[in-house]
Amino acid sequence: MNALGAILILFIGISLITVITLLLNIVIKDEGRQKLVFYFTAAWSMVIAWLNAGAQPSNFIAQQVTAWAIGGVAAAALIYQLYSRTSASLKFARIAACTSMVAGAVYLYLA
């Protein structure tokens, strides 16, 4: 297998995990499971941000900062949800983490 084949498999895997996680965030109604999926979503979004920032050359500072900012939205959503334990805060945090995850995946493909 050549390098481009490995990158294609990596992108397909990232896409599948992102889509499945997004669907689970929409489908699951139990609050305990919603929290578990939310934590995974926030962690996955930060992993995508790390991949984005690491994939950029060292002199592309603006692109690296953009990648970290997208991941920072998920980190902020996680902190917000941990300190505000209402169901409305969980819903807002889930939306923010899903937005960060999707934006990070799209930015990974475009950059």
Side-chain angles (χ1 to χ4, degrees), residues 48-89:
I48 290 175
W50 175 68
L51 288 172
N52 273 333
Q56 303 298 327
S58 61
N59 59 343
F60 284 26
I61 302 299
Q63 286 83 357
Q64 290 178 359
V65 169
T66 303
W68 285 119
I70 291 171
V73 172
L78 183 64
I79 291 169
Y80 175 72
Q81 198 278 327
L82 288 174
Y83 285 112
S84 176
R85 298 184 181 250
T86 63
S87 61
S89 69

Side-chain angles (χ1 to χ4, degrees), residues 28-50:
I28 292 178
K29 302 297 179 198
D30 180 39
E31 190 171 335
R33 290 185 178 160
Q34 280 181 350
K35 285 183 181 180
L36 182 66
V37 173
F38 163 71
Y39 294 140
F40 179 78
T41 303
W44 182 244
S45 179
M46 288 183 257
V47 167
I48 290 175
W50 175 68

